[in-house]
Amino acid sequence: MSVARVVKVIPGRTVFFVCDLQAKFRPAIHGFDSVVATANKMLKMAKVLDVPVLVTEQNPRSLGPTVPELAFAALGQLHLGTIAKSLFTMLTPEVRDVLSDRQSKSIAIFGIESHVCVLQTTLDLLEAGYDVHVIADGVSSCNAEEVPIALERMRQAGAQITTSESIAFQLQADASRPNFKAFSSVIKDEKDSTKASLQSLLRSNMKQSML
C-alpha cells in the first residue's frame, strides 16, 4: 500500500500569487470584499514572513487595475511585479521567467475566479512541479456554486486546500522566531476580518458541497 506524499508549505521557498483582483469585478464576484480582505491579510503576512508576492491582472486595458485597497508598494522588493495577461492561467511566459530566477517550491494562490483563472493556474503549476496551496477563504467566483466544485477539482489534481490563517502559521512555524510579535499582531488585528471572510466564503461553499 503506497503512502501519500506529505505536502508542506516551505518557508523561504514560497511565493504568494494574487490572481486578478481588479476593481471592475467587484459587483460581479460573490463575496468579493471578503476575498480582498483575505488578500490584504496575506500581504501583511508576506511582509512579516518575508514572502515574495506576484500579481496578475486580466486584460487590464479593458478591465482596469487591481483594487486600490491592496498596497503592494508597502512590500518593497517582495513585490515581484504586476503582470498583465490575456491567458486565463497566471503561469504566463512572463511569470515563468520571474519564477525561473528563484528557488521557489510552494505557491499559495488567492483571487478570482475559482473555476477559471485560479483553477487553470493551479493545474499548470502542479504540472510544472510546484506544490500549490489554494487559500479557500481567499478565492471566489461570480456564482458561489462554482467554488466548491473548483476547489474539489484542484484537490483531486493534487493541490492543498487550506485557509489564510493555517498557511500563515505553517510559514511562521516557530513562536521563538524574532518576528513572532509582529506575526501575532497581524493575527489579532485581522481576527474579525478572518472570521467574516470564513463565514462569507466557506460557509456557503460547505452548504453547496453538501447538496
Side-chain angles (χ1 to χ4, degrees):
M1 180 177 174
S2 61
V3 178
R5 180 173 72 96
V6 175
V7 178
K8 297 182 179 181
V9 68
I10 304 173
R13 297 186 64 189
T14 298
V15 178
F16 288 168
F17 270 29
V18 185
C19 188
D20 305 350
L21 281 176
Q22 291 151 264
K24 199 159 187 177
F25 293 126
R26 191 186 299 271
I29 299 295
H30 167 72
F32 185 85
D33 288 341
S34 294
V35 177
V36 171
T38 298
N40 246 326
K41 173 184 175 181
M42 297 306 290
L43 295 184
K44 292 177 183 178
M45 284 299 180
K47 192 168 183 180
V48 170
L49 298 168
D50 199 33
V51 178
V53 176
L54 194 148
V55 186
T56 60
E57 295 175 341
Q58 182 69 26
N59 192 14
R61 282 190 174 185
S62 298
L63 298 173
T66 299
V67 292
E69 297 99 300
L70 300 183
F72 300 115
L75 295 172
Q77 292 185 341
L78 289 173
H79 180 205
L80 300 181
T82 297
I83 296 174
K85 65 184 180 69
S86 61
L87 294 170
F88 295 128
T89 180
M90 291 180 73
L91 201 58
T92 65
E94 295 88 348
V95 170
R96 288 180 186 271
D97 286 344
V98 173
L99 291 179
S100 69
D101 293 333
R102 313 189 65 83
Q103 296 297 313
S104 304
K105 177 61 177 171
S106 305
I107 306 294
I109 185 170
F110 44 96
I112 58 173
E113 287 186 76
S114 306
H115 66 298
V116 186
C117 297
V118 174
L119 172 63
Q120 292 187 34
T121 302
T122 295
L123 296 179
D124 285 347
L125 286 167
L126 289 168
E127 188 175 51
Y130 293 95
D131 295 332
V132 184
H133 303 260
V134 182
I135 310 300
D137 56 328
V139 298
S140 192
S141 296
C142 288
N143 298 312
E145 294 80 2
E146 294 278 8
V147 182
I149 298 170
L151 290 174
E152 181 57 26
R153 173 71 182 92
M154 289 183 272
R155 182 185 287 109
Q156 290 170 350
Q160 313 304 305
I161 311 302
T162 187
T163 64
S164 58
E165 187 152 314
S166 178
I167 203 165
F169 273 94
Q170 291 174 66
L171 287 166
Q172 176 65 29
D174 189 342
S176 69
R177 291 174 59 190
N179 67 339
F180 184 71
K181 184 175 181 180
F183 172 85
S184 182
S185 292
V186 175
I187 292 292
K188 291 176 182 176
D189 291 346
E190 295 294 320
K191 179 181 179 181
D192 291 342
S193 177
T194 297
K195 183 176 181 179
S197 293
L198 288 167
Q199 292 178 341
S200 170
L201 298 169
L202 296 192
R203 186 171 291 176
S204 60
N205 292 350
M206 291 173 66
K207 288 179 181 178
Q208 289 299 326
S209 65
M210 293 168 61
L211 295 179

